[in-house]
Amino acid sequence: MTSTPSNTSRFGTPATPSLNLGVIGNCAISALVDCQGDIVWSCLPRFDGDPVFNALLKAGDAGSRFAIELEDLVSTRQAYEPNTAVLRTTLTDRSGNSVEITDFAPRFHSRSRYFRPVTLVRKVRPLHGAPRIRVRLKLSFDWGKTEPVITRGSNHVRYVGPQMTLRLNTDAPISYVLEEQPFLLSKTHHFLLGEDESLANGIAETAQHFERETITYWRKWCNSLSIPLEWQDAVIRAAITLKLSLYEETGAIVAAMTTSIPESANSGRNWDYRYCWLRDAFFVVRALNSLSETGTMEDYLRWLSNVVIEATSGHIQPLYGLGLERELPERVMADLAGYRGMGPVRVGNQAAEHFQHDVYGNIVLGAAQAFHDRRLLHPAGAAEFRYLERIGEHAVRVYGTPDAGMWELRTRARVHTSSALMSWAACDRLAKIAAHLGLAERAHYWGTNAQHMRDEILARSWNASRQAFAESFDGNELDASVLLMSEVGLIDAHDPRFVSTVDAMERVLCDGPFMRRYEAADDFGKPETSFNICTFWRIDALARIGRKEEARDIFEAMLAARNPLGLLSEDTHSETREMWGNFPQTYSMVGVINAAIALSKPWRSVI
């Protein structure tokens, strides 16, 4: 990736906020790094925590960021160390002097566990000439309201906040860091920002050890993936990004690392995605399972089992906090202006209060493989099936009743086809699990429920005048979510009704290769941008129908819409191709993996 800053004065201004960002992390914390090597977003001590670096939502000098600036900067280049989550940014000045910034969060196996400290590691080294740099580390707490009290030691700086204290251990001159004093970079310097603890070893020694072990971990992890022949780099980057979205302590999977990146410019569609949606998590687990990465599923099932056991009232929320928090009250943080000034910045998500009936099917689908896969360290059995049957009974109970739907409509309830579809999926998979466990009576019970639901879904969601399956029972509008009918197995992709539905959606919902969610206006009017996962559902549907060349063309358009580091947000503007919505979006990265697997030439074609 190469870019040219708009301002090439001695030390230029920060880059304009954009989603041309890299993500680093370790399954405990994460950070977003812009094209100039600034850390512009990081929530601590976990994904849904306080953004101690908030410049993504508070631009310019007012925002908090961790910048390592090069004097007279004229160009930047950025890339991941292959098959890792270690990011390298090269800065070059007008005289040809250059530096390299390395960013990562340590993750590796140590003492019979995964070592994933609340620590960000930065390394800056001179590449050519005599570069002059300036380190600017500005932290804030309490969503930008509070500046830290700063204390210093011989090789560290403490940033003391009301509820959290962070320590920077560095072998760079402390005075230069605190005073933002430019200096010639004559040797490599290391920066370890994390919890207020002393290092067991030297700063450089610790940073080098962390980097070496972290690179080894990610390369071994990638080496274990079963990837398609084509688009390997895209799949590997998507897989690493999905893995980074796992909060390993509990097993929750976040939908995205950010809050309040609007779905389109000045739309007000600004939401907090730093929580675990059962729907999104299922798709993440299934995508990684398809690459033979089952560890994430086992971690997620730990978390999901607690959701199921605690649901004594029967109702299960569509999302929870990373630590199983049920209440996620939505509020506005006025101290942050928002992405490019496009507020509001919301914390919490009202959708936790919704009734979204597809959730029960997503739970069963997310757990189903654990009953059939003999590779797992903790395969599911009869005891787990009994808990899962409780979820199935809820799916039967809510089937055919109105809900907010998977798009989380706040002012309208209908019997959504996608919700009914997932109730069917719950019963269908429970029938298959029961048969696998030799429970014939339970297999018959769940199979009977599934058949009844299937018959009614196909009858009542079909709109003869539009020759398509509609978004709700006896409804008229089109909705991309019904494309999941074939993906989850309700209907054969070659069924004329499904083929006709795809054709109708292409006429109504598509802007070139991109697909919008639905045609009806919602609480904010009609969406202006395409929804990336819907485009990937279209690709999947076309592949299943047999129109693979068309699907490949659309997939290539989606790959071209990624940012220079291979990442996607939630939405894409069909005309400008600009990314919008929270970032990086797990749903979108799932689509990359699924499409590549569906469309790739087989390995046997070359070996």
Side-chain angles (χ1 to χ4, degrees):
M1 159 185 170
T2 303
S3 66
T4 301
S6 59
N7 187 320
T8 55
S9 62
R10 303 300 288 176
F11 284 97
T13 58
T16 301
S18 80
L19 297 183
N20 284 343
L21 304 168
V23 60
I24 60 172
N26 62 2
C27 301
I29 59 168
S30 66
L32 300 181
V33 184
D34 75 8
C35 63
Q36 293 182 191
D38 292 6
I39 296 179
V40 296
W41 183 258
S42 184
C43 297
L44 300 178
R46 62 186 204 181
F47 301 138
D48 58 353
D50 187 9
V52 297
F53 297 119
N54 62 30
L56 185 63
L57 300 184
K58 194 173 185 178
D61 289 333
S64 56
R65 68 177 68 231
F66 191 168
I68 300 175
E69 302 172 341
L70 179 66
E71 187 177 40
D72 294 332
L73 176 68
V74 294
S75 68
T76 72
R77 187 174 68 254
Q78 200 168 47
Y80 283 103
E81 182 72 19
N83 296 357
T84 77
V86 176
L87 183 64
R88 305 200 193 278
T89 306
T90 301
L91 309 179
T92 303
D93 70 16
R94 65 178 59 179
S95 300
N97 303 306
S98 60
V99 302
E100 180 188 73
I101 303 168
T102 297
D103 285 297
F104 66 96
R107 177 174 174 80
F108 51 89
H109 203 259
S110 176
R111 298 178 181 176
S112 301
R113 62 180 176 86
Y114 284 114
F115 178 69
R116 38 177 167 75
V118 179
T119 300
L120 299 173
V121 180
R122 314 203 77 187
K123 178 180 75 174
V124 58
R125 67 184 183 99
L127 292 181
H128 186 268
R132 191 166 180 253
I133 68 167
R134 179 173 66 177
V135 178
R136 304 183 71 189
L137 201 172
K138 180 182 179 183
L139 282 165
S140 66
F141 295 110
D142 194 20
W143 290 85
K145 296 186 184 72
T146 305
E147 293 190 4
V149 174
I150 298 175
T151 65
R152 63 173 290 173
S154 57
N155 289 102
H156 74 266
V157 181
R158 296 173 71 245
Y159 299 85
V160 182
Q163 299 180 13
M164 177 168 47
T165 297
L166 296 174
R167 177 189 291 243
L168 175 72
N169 290 288
T170 182
D171 51 13
I174 293 293
S175 295
Y176 292 169
V177 173
L178 288 175
E179 297 165 16
E180 299 182 359
Q181 170 64 43
F183 64 96
L184 287 172
L185 184 67
S186 58
K187 65 178 182 178
T188 299
H189 288 302
H190 305 85
F191 305 84
L192 294 89
L193 180 67
E195 295 175 310
D196 188 22
E197 300 172 353
S198 299
L199 299 178
N201 297 300
I203 292 170
E205 178 186 357
T206 300
Q208 291 164 10
H209 172 67
F210 283 178
E211 180 179 356
R212 183 172 58 252
E213 292 297 316
T214 298
I215 288 174
T216 298
Y217 163 80
W218 284 112
R219 286 180 173 166
K220 286 183 177 179
W221 186 84
C222 291
N223 183 253
S224 70
L225 299 178
S226 176
I227 59 175
L229 172 63
E230 297 182 270
W231 305 294
Q232 293 183 37
D233 290 339
V235 169
I236 290 171
R237 183 52 47 202
I240 290 174
T241 306
L242 294 184
K243 186 67 175 182
L244 291 177
S245 301
L246 169 70
Y247 184 65
E248 193 170 50
E249 176 189 319
T250 64
I253 298 171
V254 291
M257 298 298 182
T258 60
T259 178
S260 302
I261 308 297
E263 294 178 14
S264 58
N266 297 300
S267 64
R269 299 173 185 263
N270 300 18
W271 316 114
D272 191 350
Y273 278 15
R274 301 169 306 136
Y275 308 111
C276 185
W277 270 258
L278 304 188
R279 178 189 312 113
D280 301 48
F282 155 63
F283 283 103
V284 169
V285 164
R286 190 169 68 163
L288 290 176
N289 286 350
S290 71
L291 301 177
S292 296
E293 201 284 316
T294 58
T296 301
M297 176 180 67
E298 295 200 77
D299 284 327
Y300 172 63
L301 291 180
R302 284 192 290 111
W303 182 87
L304 185 63
S305 296
N306 286 295
V307 170
V308 171
I309 291 170
E310 290 189 2
T312 54
S313 67
H315 171 60
I316 292 182
Q317 298 174 190
L319 69 149
Y320 293 84
L322 305 187
L324 297 172
E325 294 86 359
R326 300 180 64 88
E327 295 184 8
L328 303 171
E330 191 172 287
R331 58 201 189 279
V332 172
M333 293 300 176
D335 288 85
L336 299 181
Y339 180 72
R340 299 183 184 172
M342 300 177 190
V345 173
R346 292 186 172 96
V347 179
N349 200 303
Q350 187 199 25
E353 303 170 12
H354 288 187
F355 286 81
Q356 297 176 24
H357 295 160
D358 67 324
V359 67
Y360 304 104
N362 287 310
I363 290 173
V364 176
L365 287 170
Q369 184 167 333
F371 291 88
H372 301 279
D373 195 332
R374 298 173 67 94
R375 297 170 298 170
L376 302 185
L377 295 175
H378 305 287
E384 290 80 7
F385 178 68
R386 285 192 292 272
Y387 280 117
L388 211 57
E389 281 198 296
R390 287 166 41 184
I391 301 302
E393 293 295 353
H394 298 318
V396 172
R397 175 176 55 82
V398 302
Y399 168 78
T401 60
D403 72 338
M406 71 183 304
W407 303 128
E408 301 179 343
L409 302 174
R410 298 190 169 202
T411 59
R412 186 180 73 207
R414 295 179 179 175
V415 180
H416 290 94
T417 302
S418 58
S419 296
L421 170 66
M422 287 302 171
S423 285
W424 167 83
C427 296
D428 178 74
R429 297 321 192 261
L430 284 168
K432 291 178 169 65
I433 294 168
H436 176 71
L437 295 175
L439 304 173
E441 185 272 331
R442 302 311 295 163
H444 175 76
Y445 172 80
W446 291 113
T448 300
N449 275 293
Q451 186 60 52
H452 162 72
M453 292 179 184
R454 180 180 185 275
D455 292 342
E456 186 173 34
I457 292 168
L458 293 177
R460 295 193 60 189
S461 65
W462 177 251
N463 185 298
S465 65
R466 303 201 70 172
Q467 288 294 292
F469 291 111
E471 51 86 33
S472 62
F473 280 11
D474 308 317
N476 187 62
E477 286 91 8
L478 300 184
D479 186 310
S481 64
V482 304
L483 294 178
L484 291 171
M485 282 182 163
S486 176
E487 184 172 339
V488 301
L490 181 85
I491 191 172
D492 186 276
H494 295 94
D495 187 298
R497 293 169 295 181
F498 185 76
V499 174
S500 177
T501 298
V502 174
D503 292 339
M505 288 189 179
E506 290 188 315
R507 291 191 298 270
V508 174
L509 297 181
C510 290
D511 301 305
F514 306 107
M515 177 172 269
R516 285 169 277 116
R517 284 176 283 184
Y518 38 75
E519 62 176 327
D522 59 22
D523 309 329
F524 294 82
K526 290 193 174 183
E528 299 175 27
T529 52
S530 65
F531 204 72
N532 291 332
I533 191 59
C534 297
T535 304
F536 285 115
W537 289 342
R538 177 191 181 192
I539 291 170
D540 179 82
L542 291 174
R544 291 174 186 273
I545 290 170
R547 293 160 56 182
K548 285 199 169 185
E549 287 307 312
E550 293 175 62
R552 288 176 69 96
D553 289 344
I554 298 169
F555 185 37
E556 290 292 352
M558 285 304 301
L559 293 178
R562 296 173 303 158
N563 77 8
L565 290 168
L567 307 179
L568 282 168
S569 65
E570 182 182 53
D571 309 272
T572 300
H573 194 286
S574 61
E575 295 180 5
T576 65
R577 307 296 171 96
E578 186 172 9
M579 296 194 301
W580 292 92
N582 282 310
F583 175 93
Q585 178 74 10
T586 54
Y587 241 157
S588 301
M589 305 310 291
V590 162
V592 171
I593 293 172
N594 291 346
I597 290 173
L599 298 173
S600 175
K601 297 173 184 175
W603 279 97
R604 65 177 180 272
S605 66
V606 296
I607 58 176

